[in-house]
Amino acid sequence: MPNVMTVSVSHIRHALQESYSAQEAANLSRIVCCEMLGQTAVDYYLGKDMILSPKEMQDLDTILARLRNFEPIQYVQGTARFLERSYYVAPGVLIPRPETEELVEVMLKEVPSGARILDIGTGSGCIAISLSKMLPDAKVTAWDISDTALRIARRNNEALQASVCFVQRDVLAYVPGSGERYDVIVSNPPFFPTGSLESGTARAKARSFETLTLQQLIKCASNNISKQGTFAVIIPYDLAENFEFLAWEKDFFPVRCTDVVTVS
């Protein structure tokens, strides 16, 4: 058969074991073979070779190079699962986390069906889109300062047929107009151990809004929330006490303090 190459599953697994544990390499090789190259699960577990075209072989080499460089598999695939939906992701937005799913599940129990909802630092749009899909009567707006993040979020919004209004906005500089308030504000910022969203690290490069401290995040929420509104944010345990203190200063009253903190 002309212009084709044969590649074994063991070759891919061994190539990945240069950078990963045996178990991690096995998991990644299954994703590469079955989800990205189209091999059936049966053939994969039987260890059958794959027949690849030159273009597919080139793609495989690129995939393996990115994985050996420790790029997350979700970026390599270009997709991540969130609450049973697939979202396009790429460098420039954070990969959705399980805690983020918990945040949405908490909000679904507490948010009125017709609420005005604001997602600060939307990234891939997974929070805003999920709320829009599950609360079809709600008016969901999502802010981000990043062109890349907004492009990705709008792509997901269209693909999943949601109705989120995405707006490019610098939350540190924005002054809301009179009457421009939200019943619910939600945010899942990428906190660092110091408690601030610092630039210059690998994780920071993937986040989608500028340097933001706890104080600034709470101030932004305070400036944009309605009088009886709810602000929900994921906070690491070691920052929860400081978050509560800062929230009280802005007349927020914490009602739940876990990884998901809801304040009213």
Side-chain angles (χ1 to χ4, degrees), residues 3-7 11-12 32 36-37 50-68 76:
N3 298 322
V4 296
M5 298 186 68
T6 300
V7 178
H11 165 77
I12 295 172
V32 170
M36 303 184 73
L37 297 177
M50 292 181 292
I51 299 175
L52 302 180
S53 68
K55 173 64 168 60
E56 289 170 329
M57 192 65 205
Q58 184 178 18
D59 290 343
L60 174 60
D61 289 341
T62 300
I63 290 168
L64 293 177
R66 293 175 69 181
L67 290 173
R68 285 197 295 259
V76 178

PDB file of all heavy atoms in Angstrom, residues 3-7 11-12 32 36-37 50-68 76:
ATOM      1  N   ASN A   3       2.496   5.054   0.096  1.00  0.00           N
ATOM      2  CA  ASN A   3       2.365   6.295   0.865  1.00  0.00           C
ATOM      3  C   ASN A   3       1.641   6.115   2.199  1.00  0.00           C
ATOM      4  O   ASN A   3       0.870   6.969   2.615  1.00  0.00           O
ATOM      5  CB  ASN A   3       1.643   7.362   0.032  1.00  0.00           C
ATOM      6  CG  ASN A   3       2.418   7.724  -1.213  1.00  0.00           C
ATOM      7  OD1 ASN A   3       3.658   7.791  -1.184  1.00  0.00           O
ATOM      8  ND2 ASN A   3       1.712   7.933  -2.309  1.00  0.00           N
ATOM      9  N   VAL A   4       1.849   4.995   2.848  1.00  0.00           N
ATOM     10  CA  VAL A   4       1.294   4.802   4.185  1.00  0.00           C
ATOM     11  C   VAL A   4       2.389   4.261   5.095  1.00  0.00           C
ATOM     12  O   VAL A   4       3.390   3.703   4.629  1.00  0.00           O
ATOM     13  CB  VAL A   4       0.087   3.834   4.199  1.00  0.00           C
ATOM     14  CG1 VAL A   4      -1.078   4.415   3.402  1.00  0.00           C
ATOM     15  CG2 VAL A   4       0.482   2.460   3.685  1.00  0.00           C
ATOM     16  N   MET A   5       2.169   4.435   6.400  1.00  0.00           N
ATOM     17  CA  MET A   5       3.122   3.948   7.381  1.00  0.00           C
ATOM     18  C   MET A   5       2.373   3.192   8.460  1.00  0.00           C
ATOM     19  O   MET A   5       1.217   3.494   8.765  1.00  0.00           O
ATOM     20  CB  MET A   5       3.907   5.107   7.996  1.00  0.00           C
ATOM     21  CG  MET A   5       4.750   5.893   7.011  1.00  0.00           C
ATOM     22  SD  MET A   5       5.776   7.137   7.810  1.00  0.00           S
ATOM     23  CE  MET A   5       6.921   6.081   8.709  1.00  0.00           C
ATOM     24  N   THR A   6       3.038   2.209   9.036  1.00  0.00           N
ATOM     25  CA  THR A   6       2.453   1.424  10.109  1.00  0.00           C
ATOM     26  C   THR A   6       3.057   1.865  11.445  1.00  0.00           C
ATOM     27  O   THR A   6       4.288   1.975  11.573  1.00  0.00           O
ATOM     28  CB  THR A   6       2.724  -0.080   9.907  1.00  0.00           C
ATOM     29  OG1 THR A   6       2.147  -0.490   8.662  1.00  0.00           O
ATOM     30  CG2 THR A   6       2.107  -0.892  11.037  1.00  0.00           C
ATOM     31  N   VAL A   7       2.175   2.134  12.396  1.00  0.00           N
ATOM     32  CA  VAL A   7       2.621   2.589  13.716  1.00  0.00           C
ATOM     33  C   VAL A   7       1.971   1.713  14.768  1.00  0.00           C
ATOM     34  O   VAL A   7       0.764   1.443  14.716  1.00  0.00           O
ATOM     35  CB  VAL A   7       2.233   4.068  13.959  1.00  0.00           C
ATOM     36  CG1 VAL A   7       2.666   4.513  15.354  1.00  0.00           C
ATOM     37  CG2 VAL A   7       2.859   4.961  12.908  1.00  0.00           C
ATOM     38  N   HIS A  11       4.691   1.765  20.320  1.00  0.00           N
ATOM     39  CA  HIS A  11       5.606   2.849  19.935  1.00  0.00           C
ATOM     40  C   HIS A  11       5.150   4.174  20.532  1.00  0.00           C
ATOM     41  O   HIS A  11       5.964   4.951  21.071  1.00  0.00           O
ATOM     42  CB  HIS A  11       5.677   2.950  18.409  1.00  0.00           C
ATOM     43  CG  HIS A  11       6.296   4.234  17.915  1.00  0.00           C
ATOM     44  ND1 HIS A  11       7.654   4.456  17.936  1.00  0.00           N
ATOM     45  CD2 HIS A  11       5.713   5.369  17.422  1.00  0.00           C
ATOM     46  CE1 HIS A  11       7.899   5.668  17.464  1.00  0.00           C
ATOM     47  NE2 HIS A  11       6.744   6.237  17.148  1.00  0.00           N
ATOM     48  N   ILE A  12       3.851   4.450  20.440  1.00  0.00           N
ATOM     49  CA  ILE A  12       3.310   5.706  20.976  1.00  0.00           C
ATOM     50  C   ILE A  12       3.446   5.730  22.496  1.00  0.00           C
ATOM     51  O   ILE A  12       3.867   6.738  23.090  1.00  0.00           O
ATOM     52  CB  ILE A  12       1.840   5.870  20.547  1.00  0.00           C
ATOM     53  CG1 ILE A  12       1.760   6.028  19.027  1.00  0.00           C
ATOM     54  CG2 ILE A  12       1.186   7.054  21.256  1.00  0.00           C
ATOM     55  CD1 ILE A  12       0.358   6.014  18.471  1.00  0.00           C
ATOM     56  N   VAL A  32      -4.819   9.488  22.317  1.00  0.00           N
ATOM     57  CA  VAL A  32      -4.218   9.791  21.010  1.00  0.00           C
ATOM     58  C   VAL A  32      -4.705   8.803  19.956  1.00  0.00           C
ATOM     59  O   VAL A  32      -5.145   9.197  18.862  1.00  0.00           O
ATOM     60  CB  VAL A  32      -2.678   9.776  21.106  1.00  0.00           C
ATOM     61  CG1 VAL A  32      -2.066   9.856  19.711  1.00  0.00           C
ATOM     62  CG2 VAL A  32      -2.186  10.931  21.966  1.00  0.00           C
ATOM     63  N   MET A  36      -8.083  10.704  18.745  1.00  0.00           N
ATOM     64  CA  MET A  36      -7.478  11.643  17.801  1.00  0.00           C
ATOM     65  C   MET A  36      -7.116  10.996  16.471  1.00  0.00           C
ATOM     66  O   MET A  36      -7.144  11.664  15.436  1.00  0.00           O
ATOM     67  CB  MET A  36      -6.240  12.290  18.434  1.00  0.00           C
ATOM     68  CG  MET A  36      -6.546  13.003  19.751  1.00  0.00           C
ATOM     69  SD  MET A  36      -5.131  13.867  20.473  1.00  0.00           S
ATOM     70  CE  MET A  36      -5.000  15.276  19.371  1.00  0.00           C
ATOM     71  N   LEU A  37      -6.788   9.706  16.487  1.00  0.00           N
ATOM     72  CA  LEU A  37      -6.399   9.032  15.241  1.00  0.00           C
ATOM     73  C   LEU A  37      -7.440   8.045  14.744  1.00  0.00           C
ATOM     74  O   LEU A  37      -7.276   7.458  13.673  1.00  0.00           O
ATOM     75  CB  LEU A  37      -5.051   8.334  15.433  1.00  0.00           C
ATOM     76  CG  LEU A  37      -3.867   9.251  15.745  1.00  0.00           C
ATOM     77  CD1 LEU A  37      -2.607   8.436  15.987  1.00  0.00           C
ATOM     78  CD2 LEU A  37      -3.650  10.253  14.621  1.00  0.00           C
ATOM     79  N   MET A  50      -1.610   0.659  13.624  1.00  0.00           N
ATOM     80  CA  MET A  50      -2.409   1.600  12.838  1.00  0.00           C
ATOM     81  C   MET A  50      -1.693   1.875  11.516  1.00  0.00           C
ATOM     82  O   MET A  50      -0.465   1.945  11.470  1.00  0.00           O
ATOM     83  CB  MET A  50      -2.597   2.914  13.601  1.00  0.00           C
ATOM     84  CG  MET A  50      -3.469   2.808  14.828  1.00  0.00           C
ATOM     85  SD  MET A  50      -3.668   4.421  15.641  1.00  0.00           S
ATOM     86  CE  MET A  50      -1.998   4.678  16.243  1.00  0.00           C
ATOM     87  N   ILE A  51      -2.481   2.028  10.476  1.00  0.00           N
ATOM     88  CA  ILE A  51      -1.942   2.404   9.175  1.00  0.00           C
ATOM     89  C   ILE A  51      -2.257   3.874   8.955  1.00  0.00           C
ATOM     90  O   ILE A  51      -3.424   4.278   8.900  1.00  0.00           O
ATOM     91  CB  ILE A  51      -2.548   1.541   8.050  1.00  0.00           C
ATOM     92  CG1 ILE A  51      -2.197   0.069   8.273  1.00  0.00           C
ATOM     93  CG2 ILE A  51      -2.036   2.011   6.692  1.00  0.00           C
ATOM     94  CD1 ILE A  51      -2.845  -0.870   7.282  1.00  0.00           C
ATOM     95  N   LEU A  52      -1.199   4.685   8.858  1.00  0.00           N
ATOM     96  CA  LEU A  52      -1.363   6.132   8.776  1.00  0.00           C
ATOM     97  C   LEU A  52      -0.819   6.664   7.451  1.00  0.00           C
ATOM     98  O   LEU A  52       0.188   6.182   6.943  1.00  0.00           O
ATOM     99  CB  LEU A  52      -0.638   6.818   9.933  1.00  0.00           C
ATOM    100  CG  LEU A  52      -1.042   6.412  11.355  1.00  0.00           C
ATOM    101  CD1 LEU A  52      -0.222   7.200  12.378  1.00  0.00           C
ATOM    102  CD2 LEU A  52      -2.536   6.614  11.590  1.00  0.00           C
ATOM    103  N   SER A  53      -1.504   7.687   6.947  1.00  0.00           N
ATOM    104  CA  SER A  53      -1.020   8.399   5.770  1.00  0.00           C
ATOM    105  C   SER A  53       0.137   9.304   6.195  1.00  0.00           C
ATOM    106  O   SER A  53       0.344   9.553   7.388  1.00  0.00           O
ATOM    107  CB  SER A  53      -2.138   9.242   5.171  1.00  0.00           C
ATOM    108  OG  SER A  53      -2.467  10.317   6.058  1.00  0.00           O
ATOM    109  N   PRO A  54       0.907   9.834   5.245  1.00  0.00           N
ATOM    110  CA  PRO A  54       1.985  10.768   5.607  1.00  0.00           C
ATOM    111  C   PRO A  54       1.475  11.966   6.419  1.00  0.00           C
ATOM    112  O   PRO A  54       2.143  12.407   7.362  1.00  0.00           O
ATOM    113  CB  PRO A  54       2.542  11.195   4.253  1.00  0.00           C
ATOM    114  CG  PRO A  54       2.262  10.031   3.356  1.00  0.00           C
ATOM    115  CD  PRO A  54       0.932   9.501   3.816  1.00  0.00           C
ATOM    116  N   LYS A  55       0.294  12.473   6.059  1.00  0.00           N
ATOM    117  CA  LYS A  55      -0.263  13.604   6.802  1.00  0.00           C
ATOM    118  C   LYS A  55      -0.620  13.189   8.232  1.00  0.00           C
ATOM    119  O   LYS A  55      -0.345  13.925   9.203  1.00  0.00           O
ATOM    120  CB  LYS A  55      -1.535  14.102   6.092  1.00  0.00           C
ATOM    121  CG  LYS A  55      -2.315  15.183   6.847  1.00  0.00           C
ATOM    122  CD  LYS A  55      -1.506  16.459   7.006  1.00  0.00           C
ATOM    123  CE  LYS A  55      -2.366  17.628   7.487  1.00  0.00           C
ATOM    124  NZ  LYS A  55      -3.007  17.395   8.785  1.00  0.00           N
ATOM    125  N   GLU A  56      -1.212  12.021   8.387  1.00  0.00           N
ATOM    126  CA  GLU A  56      -1.552  11.534   9.727  1.00  0.00           C
ATOM    127  C   GLU A  56      -0.295  11.277  10.559  1.00  0.00           C
ATOM    128  O   GLU A  56      -0.274  11.542  11.762  1.00  0.00           O
ATOM    129  CB  GLU A  56      -2.388  10.258   9.623  1.00  0.00           C
ATOM    130  CG  GLU A  56      -3.802  10.486   9.113  1.00  0.00           C
ATOM    131  CD  GLU A  56      -4.527   9.195   8.803  1.00  0.00           C
ATOM    132  OE1 GLU A  56      -3.852   8.201   8.409  1.00  0.00           O
ATOM    133  OE2 GLU A  56      -5.766   9.175   8.944  1.00  0.00           O
ATOM    134  N   MET A  57       0.760  10.780   9.904  1.00  0.00           N
ATOM    135  CA  MET A  57       2.010  10.547  10.610  1.00  0.00           C
ATOM    136  C   MET A  57       2.622  11.868  11.070  1.00  0.00           C
ATOM    137  O   MET A  57       3.157  11.968  12.182  1.00  0.00           O
ATOM    138  CB  MET A  57       2.985   9.808   9.687  1.00  0.00           C
ATOM    139  CG  MET A  57       4.196   9.260  10.403  1.00  0.00           C
ATOM    140  SD  MET A  57       3.748   7.964  11.586  1.00  0.00           S
ATOM    141  CE  MET A  57       5.117   8.096  12.726  1.00  0.00           C
ATOM    142  N   GLN A  58       2.526  12.872  10.222  1.00  0.00           N
ATOM    143  CA  GLN A  58       3.021  14.199  10.599  1.00  0.00           C
ATOM    144  C   GLN A  58       2.222  14.754  11.779  1.00  0.00           C
ATOM    145  O   GLN A  58       2.787  15.337  12.710  1.00  0.00           O
ATOM    146  CB  GLN A  58       2.930  15.144   9.402  1.00  0.00           C
ATOM    147  CG  GLN A  58       3.510  16.528   9.651  1.00  0.00           C
ATOM    148  CD  GLN A  58       3.427  17.409   8.413  1.00  0.00           C
ATOM    149  OE1 GLN A  58       2.671  17.134   7.479  1.00  0.00           O
ATOM    150  NE2 GLN A  58       4.204  18.464   8.410  1.00  0.00           N
ATOM    151  N   ASP A  59       0.905  14.549  11.728  1.00  0.00           N
ATOM    152  CA  ASP A  59       0.057  14.994  12.837  1.00  0.00           C
ATOM    153  C   ASP A  59       0.433  14.274  14.132  1.00  0.00           C
ATOM    154  O   ASP A  59       0.481  14.883  15.206  1.00  0.00           O
ATOM    155  CB  ASP A  59      -1.418  14.740  12.513  1.00  0.00           C
ATOM    156  CG  ASP A  59      -1.954  15.639  11.419  1.00  0.00           C
ATOM    157  OD1 ASP A  59      -1.313  16.674  11.128  1.00  0.00           O
ATOM    158  OD2 ASP A  59      -3.015  15.309  10.848  1.00  0.00           O
ATOM    159  N   LEU A  60       0.700  12.981  14.035  1.00  0.00           N
ATOM    160  CA  LEU A  60       1.078  12.208  15.218  1.00  0.00           C
ATOM    161  C   LEU A  60       2.390  12.728  15.801  1.00  0.00           C
ATOM    162  O   LEU A  60       2.520  12.876  17.023  1.00  0.00           O
ATOM    163  CB  LEU A  60       1.200  10.731  14.864  1.00  0.00           C
ATOM    164  CG  LEU A  60       1.727   9.821  15.990  1.00  0.00           C
ATOM    165  CD1 LEU A  60       0.817   9.885  17.207  1.00  0.00           C
ATOM    166  CD2 LEU A  60       1.871   8.385  15.490  1.00  0.00           C
ATOM    167  N   ASP A  61       3.349  13.001  14.946  1.00  0.00           N
ATOM    168  CA  ASP A  61       4.628  13.532  15.429  1.00  0.00           C
ATOM    169  C   ASP A  61       4.416  14.855  16.171  1.00  0.00           C
ATOM    170  O   ASP A  61       5.053  15.106  17.209  1.00  0.00           O
ATOM    171  CB  ASP A  61       5.597  13.736  14.261  1.00  0.00           C
ATOM    172  CG  ASP A  61       6.102  12.419  13.681  1.00  0.00           C
ATOM    173  OD1 ASP A  61       6.007  11.390  14.383  1.00  0.00           O
ATOM    174  OD2 ASP A  61       6.574  12.428  12.520  1.00  0.00           O
ATOM    175  N   THR A  62       3.539  15.697  15.654  1.00  0.00           N
ATOM    176  CA  THR A  62       3.252  16.978  16.296  1.00  0.00           C
ATOM    177  C   THR A  62       2.571  16.766  17.649  1.00  0.00           C
ATOM    178  O   THR A  62       2.910  17.419  18.646  1.00  0.00           O
ATOM    179  CB  THR A  62       2.359  17.842  15.392  1.00  0.00           C
ATOM    180  OG1 THR A  62       3.034  18.089  14.154  1.00  0.00           O
ATOM    181  CG2 THR A  62       2.030  19.169  16.065  1.00  0.00           C
ATOM    182  N   ILE A  63       1.599  15.851  17.684  1.00  0.00           N
ATOM    183  CA  ILE A  63       0.895  15.539  18.930  1.00  0.00           C
ATOM    184  C   ILE A  63       1.879  15.066  19.994  1.00  0.00           C
ATOM    185  O   ILE A  63       1.863  15.541  21.145  1.00  0.00           O
ATOM    186  CB  ILE A  63      -0.186  14.472  18.678  1.00  0.00           C
ATOM    187  CG1 ILE A  63      -1.332  15.053  17.858  1.00  0.00           C
ATOM    188  CG2 ILE A  63      -0.711  13.906  20.006  1.00  0.00           C
ATOM    189  CD1 ILE A  63      -2.291  14.003  17.314  1.00  0.00           C
ATOM    190  N   LEU A  64       2.756  14.127  19.627  1.00  0.00           N
ATOM    191  CA  LEU A  64       3.696  13.572  20.591  1.00  0.00           C
ATOM    192  C   LEU A  64       4.684  14.638  21.067  1.00  0.00           C
ATOM    193  O   LEU A  64       5.037  14.688  22.254  1.00  0.00           O
ATOM    194  CB  LEU A  64       4.436  12.387  19.984  1.00  0.00           C
ATOM    195  CG  LEU A  64       3.577  11.158  19.688  1.00  0.00           C
ATOM    196  CD1 LEU A  64       4.408  10.065  19.013  1.00  0.00           C
ATOM    197  CD2 LEU A  64       2.930  10.614  20.956  1.00  0.00           C
ATOM    198  N   ALA A  65       5.111  15.511  20.169  1.00  0.00           N
ATOM    199  CA  ALA A  65       6.040  16.577  20.556  1.00  0.00           C
ATOM    200  C   ALA A  65       5.384  17.521  21.555  1.00  0.00           C
ATOM    201  O   ALA A  65       6.021  17.938  22.544  1.00  0.00           O
ATOM    202  CB  ALA A  65       6.499  17.339  19.315  1.00  0.00           C
ATOM    203  N   ARG A  66       4.127  17.867  21.325  1.00  0.00           N
ATOM    204  CA  ARG A  66       3.421  18.759  22.250  1.00  0.00           C
ATOM    205  C   ARG A  66       3.217  18.092  23.608  1.00  0.00           C
ATOM    206  O   ARG A  66       3.381  18.733  24.652  1.00  0.00           O
ATOM    207  CB  ARG A  66       2.069  19.180  21.650  1.00  0.00           C
ATOM    208  CG  ARG A  66       2.206  20.063  20.410  1.00  0.00           C
ATOM    209  CD  ARG A  66       0.863  20.349  19.770  1.00  0.00           C
ATOM    210  NE  ARG A  66       0.044  21.222  20.615  1.00  0.00           N
ATOM    211  CZ  ARG A  66      -1.196  21.597  20.275  1.00  0.00           C
ATOM    212  NH1 ARG A  66      -1.749  21.159  19.145  1.00  0.00           N
ATOM    213  NH2 ARG A  66      -1.877  22.397  21.079  1.00  0.00           N
ATOM    214  N   LEU A  67       2.869  16.820  23.598  1.00  0.00           N
ATOM    215  CA  LEU A  67       2.669  16.117  24.866  1.00  0.00           C
ATOM    216  C   LEU A  67       3.987  15.949  25.619  1.00  0.00           C
ATOM    217  O   LEU A  67       4.017  16.087  26.854  1.00  0.00           O
ATOM    218  CB  LEU A  67       2.017  14.761  24.618  1.00  0.00           C
ATOM    219  CG  LEU A  67       0.555  14.794  24.167  1.00  0.00           C
ATOM    220  CD1 LEU A  67       0.069  13.401  23.796  1.00  0.00           C
ATOM    221  CD2 LEU A  67      -0.335  15.386  25.260  1.00  0.00           C
ATOM    222  N   ARG A  68       5.053  15.675  24.915  1.00  0.00           N
ATOM    223  CA  ARG A  68       6.355  15.533  25.585  1.00  0.00           C
ATOM    224  C   ARG A  68       6.833  16.866  26.152  1.00  0.00           C
ATOM    225  O   ARG A  68       7.675  16.904  27.043  1.00  0.00           O
ATOM    226  CB  ARG A  68       7.392  14.949  24.625  1.00  0.00           C
ATOM    227  CG  ARG A  68       7.226  13.459  24.382  1.00  0.00           C
ATOM    228  CD  ARG A  68       8.485  12.861  23.777  1.00  0.00           C
ATOM    229  NE  ARG A  68       8.745  13.396  22.461  1.00  0.00           N
ATOM    230  CZ  ARG A  68       8.464  12.758  21.315  1.00  0.00           C
ATOM    231  NH1 ARG A  68       7.896  11.562  21.346  1.00  0.00           N
ATOM    232  NH2 ARG A  68       8.735  13.312  20.154  1.00  0.00           N
ATOM    233  N   VAL A  76      -4.029  20.001  23.275  1.00  0.00           N
ATOM    234  CA  VAL A  76      -3.602  19.240  22.096  1.00  0.00           C
ATOM    235  C   VAL A  76      -4.817  18.758  21.314  1.00  0.00           C
ATOM    236  O   VAL A  76      -4.856  18.821  20.078  1.00  0.00           O
ATOM    237  CB  VAL A  76      -2.715  18.056  22.519  1.00  0.00           C
ATOM    238  CG1 VAL A  76      -2.308  17.230  21.300  1.00  0.00           C
ATOM    239  CG2 VAL A  76      -1.467  18.542  23.254  1.00  0.00           C
TER     240      VAL A  76
END
